[in-house]
Amino acid sequence: SSPRSSPWDAGGTPWTSLDSGTGQVRARPDMPALLVSSTSWSADEDFGVLLDALLLLDTSLSSSAPPACGGPRVLVAITGKGPLKQHYERRVAGLALRRIGIATLWLEPADYP
């Protein structure tokens, strides 16, 4: 079997594709949803609630969509710094998600529009 191509190949993204002939950018019909959340990764925020919900959503998406339909259907970007970040990153790494991708990152205030 051939390796799966990346949506970033040839100038695309998970949400767009680039027509190499015309140079036009087009929305992908199979584009994933994007969920962005910020957190201080502290004890007063139970981020486990979101992770539990994402696990339920992943189960639902996995049972309703055939595996051949490609990559994640939901991409989750979680921004922030705090004392429990590594704890939750370990929890995320232990989740067996098939249709949801999760990334944690830190954005500087200037990165926000």
Side-chain angles (χ1 to χ4, degrees):
S1 88
S2 65
R4 205 163 86 193
S5 65
S6 166
W8 301 99
D9 291 345
T13 72
W15 299 275
T16 62
S17 61
L18 178 64
D19 184 316
S20 59
T22 65
Q24 286 188 310
V25 175
R26 294 199 171 98
R28 290 182 178 275
D30 61 344
M31 73 175 96
L34 175 63
L35 185 148
V36 178
S37 180
S38 62
T39 181
S40 60
W41 299 111
S42 59
D44 65 330
E45 291 181 300
D46 184 358
F47 226 72
V49 173
L50 176 62
L51 298 182
D52 293 343
L54 291 173
L55 193 55
L56 290 171
L57 177 60
D58 188 73
T59 300
S60 177
L61 290 173
S62 295
S63 66
S64 65
C69 69
R73 300 307 318 136
V74 179
L75 296 176
V76 181
I78 305 171
T79 69
K81 288 197 272 191
L84 295 176
K85 183 175 182 180
Q86 288 183 337
H87 164 77
Y88 283 109
E89 285 178 326
R90 283 191 298 272
R91 273 198 64 189
V92 166
L95 297 175
L97 300 173
R98 295 177 21 190
R99 307 300 292 157
I100 296 177
I102 301 174
T104 60
L105 59 146
W106 169 249
L107 297 174
E108 295 294 334
D111 295 328
Y112 290 91

